[in-house]
Amino acid sequence: GPTVQNPDHQKGQLAFEPLKSLAPKAAVTYRIKLKGVAKGRSRFTTSVLTDQFEDPIREEESTTVYADE
């Protein structure tokens, strides 16, 4: 992404500095690469905060991590 990341490994969180501005109809892409640490089902949750909405915008994606055999 275009901003600095601030990882908090103990909480399992990654935060980015806010964008200074975003033009109308513009898009910003953040690519996050994760590595599973144990086999089984897992979820990735993201929250976006904006000054235009009171509540965060949330999205969740689930996946399955398989053991190497």
Side-chain angles (χ1 to χ4, degrees), residues 30-69:
Y30 289 84
R31 297 186 194 280
I32 301 169
K33 186 175 180 180
L34 305 173
K35 182 178 180 181
V37 295
K39 68 179 181 176
R41 299 210 32 100
S42 186
R43 291 187 183 154
F44 173 78
T45 304
T46 185
S47 297
V48 176
L49 302 172
T50 175
D51 59 2
Q52 297 178 0
F53 296 104
E54 288 184 27
D55 296 324
I57 301 167
R58 298 180 196 272
E59 189 71 32
E60 184 173 274
E61 188 72 32
S62 62
T63 189
T64 301
V65 177
Y66 297 95
D68 290 335
E69 295 184 27

